Amino acid sequence: MTINKLALTSRIVEFDDRSIHLTECGEGFPVLMLHGGGAGASGMSNYSRNVEALAQHFRVLVPDMQGYGRSSKGVDRADPFGDLSSAMLGLLDALDIPTAHVVGNSLGGACALRMALDCPERVTSLVLMGPGGVNTTRSVPTPGLRLLLNYYKGSGPSKEKLERFIRDYLVYDGSLVPDEVIERRYQDSLDPEVVASPPLQGPKGIPNFKKYDFTRDSRLQRCETPCLVLWGAEDKVNRPSGGQALQKRMPNCDLYLFSNTGHWVQWERAVEFNACTIGFLQSHTL
């Protein structure tokens, strides 16, 4: 497959005790794109409507995050955002990339934000779409998030569970999601290693709230990384009020709320997402 004569390549990058499946396209300043944490999620399935546009301007890096897709499995339940951050910073090290823009949806947004807090010198700018870990300890989980966390519990994974989540909770208009997207996600969710150790679970034991909710991390107010937050006004997984919570605390945070849009802004509103993301990243490219 090619994108405007730019090759789309795929490989496994190994470092430390991890192996990360990476898809890459384009040239220029690197943009690391981190996917969400739903059952069967992977990098390219999350960003299928965005890579082509961004690769015209940047070197686009789309990994399957630790625990997902063709990458190594297992995520530290005591500090999942920190573990994912370490994995993605390690990936940048393995690629000899000192700094990058980081784009993250949902769980990927939480990972991206944790990267900026842990190693601000490595993250040139952030684009966060409905990120996890915002106000999560200040109210009960949304019905959409509960479905995510319980997918592998009870009767175990099923196509009915996944279809309900995607059509009724992930997007604003579930009728627009092709059947093949659901089928592919379902088949990927059946990976025996993932079933044995689901990467997205609730906290184990008494949680350290600071590690699960960025609004309780004092570093957030000192994070000067330029940040663009994109949130669907009808998000049923992570509450849109999280956008205002981030803008209130982060010194350089812009916020864009999309009407009639759910949790998957980059898929539901791809044209607008691509345009505003490219413009934002270009304005902050070194």
Side-chain angles (χ1 to χ4, degrees):
M1 177 180 178
T2 60
I3 295 179
N4 285 5
K5 300 182 180 179
L6 298 177
L8 186 69
T9 62
S10 178
R11 57 181 164 135
I12 298 292
V13 181
E14 297 185 348
F15 56 93
D16 301 329
D17 59 346
R18 309 184 194 266
S19 60
I20 300 297
H21 177 249
L22 175 68
T23 301
E24 183 172 348
C25 186
E27 298 178 346
F29 198 85
V31 176
L32 181 67
M33 304 187 72
L34 306 179
H35 62 81
S42 64
M44 286 303 295
S45 67
N46 205 120
Y47 293 114
S48 61
R49 296 184 171 185
N50 317 116
V51 171
E52 177 176 356
L54 269 66
Q56 305 307 312
H57 307 275
F58 303 100
R59 177 186 178 187
V60 177
L61 308 166
V62 188
D64 294 342
M65 289 203 298
Q66 173 76 22
Y68 293 86
R70 292 170 57 189
S71 292
S72 51
K73 303 303 186 285
V75 175
D76 182 3
R77 288 183 65 186
D79 186 14
F81 301 156
D83 192 23
L84 293 172
S85 170
S86 295
M88 294 300 99
L89 289 167
L91 174 64
L92 293 180
D93 287 340
L95 298 173
D96 196 26
I97 295 175
T99 61
H101 299 298
V102 186
V103 176
N105 171 231
S106 195
L107 180 62
C111 175
L113 188 50
R114 182 64 180 269
M115 291 171 69
L117 296 182
D118 289 347
C119 295
E121 72 281 0
R122 305 292 302 276
V123 180
T124 304
S125 75
L126 290 166
V127 178
L128 309 176
M129 301 86 77
V134 182
N135 283 343
T136 47
T137 65
R138 301 180 187 274
S139 59
V140 298
T142 63
L145 184 56
R146 287 199 297 270
L147 280 175
L148 273 181
L149 296 175
N150 292 324
Y151 179 74
Y152 289 98
K153 296 180 180 180
S155 58
S158 72
K159 187 173 179 181
E160 290 73 23
K161 279 186 182 180
L162 188 58
E163 183 164 13
R164 181 184 177 218
F165 169 71
I166 291 176
R167 294 202 189 279
D168 295 346
Y169 291 91
L170 182 66
V171 298
Y172 178 73
D173 185 352
S175 68
L176 298 179
V177 181
D179 291 342
E180 55 266 27
V181 169
I182 295 172
E183 179 63 27
R184 184 172 66 248
R185 288 276 297 256
Y186 172 59
Q187 293 300 328
D188 289 345
S189 79
L190 299 179
D191 183 323
E193 287 187 278
V194 175
V195 174
S197 180
L200 186 63
Q201 303 182 68
K204 187 175 183 179
I206 300 175
N208 181 337
F209 281 1
K210 178 180 174 181
K211 292 182 178 179
Y212 284 86
D213 188 344
F214 293 108
T215 67
R216 297 186 183 275
D217 190 331
S218 61
R219 295 179 297 173
L220 190 64
Q221 297 188 11
R222 303 192 300 271
C223 180
E224 297 185 356
T225 305
C227 181
L228 174 63
V229 176
L230 309 175
W231 219 304
E234 306 300 328
D235 192 332
K236 296 179 182 179
V237 178
N238 292 330
R239 291 182 176 88
S241 58
Q244 288 89 348
L246 288 176
Q247 189 173 52
K248 178 180 177 180
R249 291 168 173 82
M250 298 180 73
N252 299 309
C253 179
D254 297 330
L255 174 62
Y256 188 164
L257 288 176
F258 290 77
S259 63
N260 302 319
T261 304
H263 188 56
W264 229 13
V265 170
Q266 76 284 358
W267 191 90
E268 298 176 75
R269 303 291 291 272
V271 173
E272 298 100 314
F273 169 85
N274 294 340
C276 64
T277 296
I278 290 168
F280 180 81
L281 297 181
Q282 286 179 326
S283 70
H284 293 289
T285 297
L286 300 177

